[in-house]
Amino acid sequence: MGFQGVAIDPTAWRQALPPADSEAGRALLHTYNNISHAIVIGLVLLIVAWLAYDALRHQQPSTPTATQARLGQRWIQAVTNHPIAAALFVAYTIAMVQGASWYHPELIGWYRDIFSDSLLNNFSLRDGLISETMRSNNYRFFPLAHQDLHILSWLTPYAKVWMLVNALELIAIAILTTKSVQRLSRNHRTAGTLLIVSLLLFFHPATGTSFFQFIYCERMLTLCFAGYIFFYSRYNQEGGRTNQNLVLICALLGVFIKDIGFILFTAPPLLTLGAAALSGGWRKAWTNHPLERWLCSLIGITAIAYLVLSLIPSLYLDGGAFYQDKQFLFEADPRLIALIAFSLIRAILIQRGRCQLGLIDGLNASALAYAFALFLSVGYPFHSFWTLPVQLVTVMDLTVVWLSVIAPPLEARTRKPSAITLAGLGLTGTILWMDSKQDTTFAKQVTEIWSTQEHC
């Protein structure tokens, strides 16, 4: 006996349920979405809380006096050491806040929920923000997207305060990225690195589109990615349970912010494990790389969560997938070409034994894989908010080249930090000038955003 000729309908289970477009079906789908998301997100938050507690428990102790001194003096010292970068942060923040408004087509519906109870029920759940992400049921997966706005809406209804938080997130990304490239290049002495990173990061159309408005989850995704890179680079140099847990926290939150975000957080450990397996076998690689092992498990966690939170309700509703008519569109800029060229050069040098595989190579692999996933799903227009994580890695590559290849010979010829900084700013200005020659620029994007928010 066998099962030849038996046809199995993978969606037969829907026949046992009420039609999705009926009142009972809508109620069932609503209940399923609420319960499934409450369970999964609750588990994620519990894991994050435990990792944070364990990180604090294993943190190196410091005296209260030293801690207070650090908190009191680090800001003053940072502004003193980086006055131009600090001035840039202030000016950029003023520009962001000045143009901020909740008058944006996608934001109006979300914002209306805040005033539904006349500001007397601050900590109620905003149905618009939940429905946008957790009840979309169109095969997308980003349950934690926009939840920073959700929390902000409990504290203040003022959009300009929200924009101030946007600015702080962007400044944090710039600082974390600067510290990461200094570790990756092993060059902490070259002056002006923070200013160079900030200029390259701030004045790109993808950054303008993402941070001068509230409606895109790439802001929080890139912040998690920048934190992941920083703690990962610190873990590779110092080790420690605290750094390991902080890497896992950033990655775990990041994969729930955007459906293809898991690529950013799993490509580097996969590359590390693959290289270690080629040299010493899979068993040894698996044993000697506990952090990479945990990070790779995020692939399975994402798959299960996607099945439960998105695929099952989307199949039941059968309303079709989220679709962009610019799928397979490819618009590259010089920065993407630089990313590809840098990755190829590094691959050749590693193959010839001229340098060793490092975190920067895993990040390049993650950026290229992420860009390809964008190309397959929604297209790759370089100026879109979608490309922000790719732009972050490209800025890191450009800065690593400056710190590792260009700056050291210049420092050997002159001991004037100001001359080195001017040379770095000259190269940065050249890159920004090339950006300005593209069809879509930072200034054009920001101007259109301001116009939309003013006249919507």
Side-chain angles (χ1 to χ4, degrees), residues 235-416:
Y235 173 81
N236 285 342
Q237 291 187 7
E238 303 173 3
R241 186 73 166 265
T242 298
N243 291 326
Q244 174 181 280
N245 286 4
L246 292 173
V247 172
L248 291 172
I249 288 174
C250 292
L252 184 59
L253 292 175
V255 299
F256 283 89
I257 292 176
K258 189 174 178 65
D259 43 13
I260 60 173
F262 77 95
I263 296 174
L264 299 173
F265 302 99
T266 57
L270 280 173
L271 188 63
T272 299
L273 283 176
L278 289 176
S279 60
W282 276 108
R283 184 183 297 274
K284 184 177 180 180
W286 197 253
T287 303
N288 294 342
H289 295 84
L291 174 59
E292 285 74 15
R293 188 170 67 238
W294 283 111
L295 288 172
C296 288
S297 69
L298 291 176
I299 298 174
I301 292 174
T302 304
I304 295 171
Y306 176 78
L307 172 68
V308 173
L309 301 183
S310 182
L311 184 59
I312 290 177
S314 297
L315 287 172
Y316 174 62
L317 182 63
D318 196 24
F322 174 76
Y323 176 73
Q324 288 287 334
D325 57 2
K326 294 184 178 180
Q327 187 180 21
F328 303 119
L329 172 69
F330 181 70
E331 295 179 0
D333 64 341
R335 295 196 185 202
L336 181 62
I337 297 172
L339 171 65
I340 296 172
F342 182 78
S343 303
L344 289 175
I345 292 171
R346 287 279 307 177
I348 293 171
L349 292 176
I350 292 170
Q351 193 274 331
R352 295 182 177 180
R354 300 282 297 277
C355 62
Q356 293 183 339
L357 185 76
L359 177 59
I360 190 65
D361 304 296
L363 296 174
N364 288 332
S366 68
L368 292 173
Y370 189 85
F372 186 68
L374 287 176
F375 169 73
L376 294 178
S377 56
V378 294
Y380 186 89
F382 71 89
H383 51 81
S384 172
F385 58 90
W386 291 319
T387 71
L388 187 61
V390 181
Q391 306 303 335
L392 178 68
V393 177
T394 304
V395 169
M396 293 186 65
D397 286 346
L398 294 171
T399 313
V400 166
V401 170
W402 162 248
L403 292 176
S404 302
V405 180
I406 303 175
L410 295 178
E411 290 172 336
R413 295 183 179 182
T414 178
R415 295 184 178 180
K416 296 181 178 179

Side-chain angles (χ1 to χ4, degrees), residues 154-234:
W154 294 345
L155 306 177
T156 174
Y158 297 108
K160 291 189 182 297
V161 178
W162 296 12
M163 186 58 74
L164 184 61
V165 175
N166 272 18
L168 293 175
E169 290 173 355
L170 181 56
I171 292 170
I173 291 172
I175 294 173
L176 290 170
T177 302
T178 300
K179 293 181 177 293
S180 297
V181 295
Q182 288 174 332
R183 285 183 178 274
L184 293 173
S185 62
R186 300 184 183 275
N187 182 351
H188 295 263
R189 65 184 183 277
T190 300
T193 304
L194 176 60
L195 181 58
I196 290 172
V197 168
S198 300
L199 289 170
L200 290 174
L201 181 63
F202 286 9
F203 295 100
H204 189 275
T207 305
T209 306
S210 299
F211 281 91
F212 276 77
Q213 49 195 336
F214 307 107
I215 60 177
Y216 301 123
C217 65
E218 277 69 17
R219 292 178 296 104
M220 288 302 297
L221 175 65
T222 305
L223 178 60
C224 288
F225 191 38
Y228 164 89
I229 295 169
F230 170 72
F231 292 117
Y232 205 157
S233 62
R234 198 165 75 173

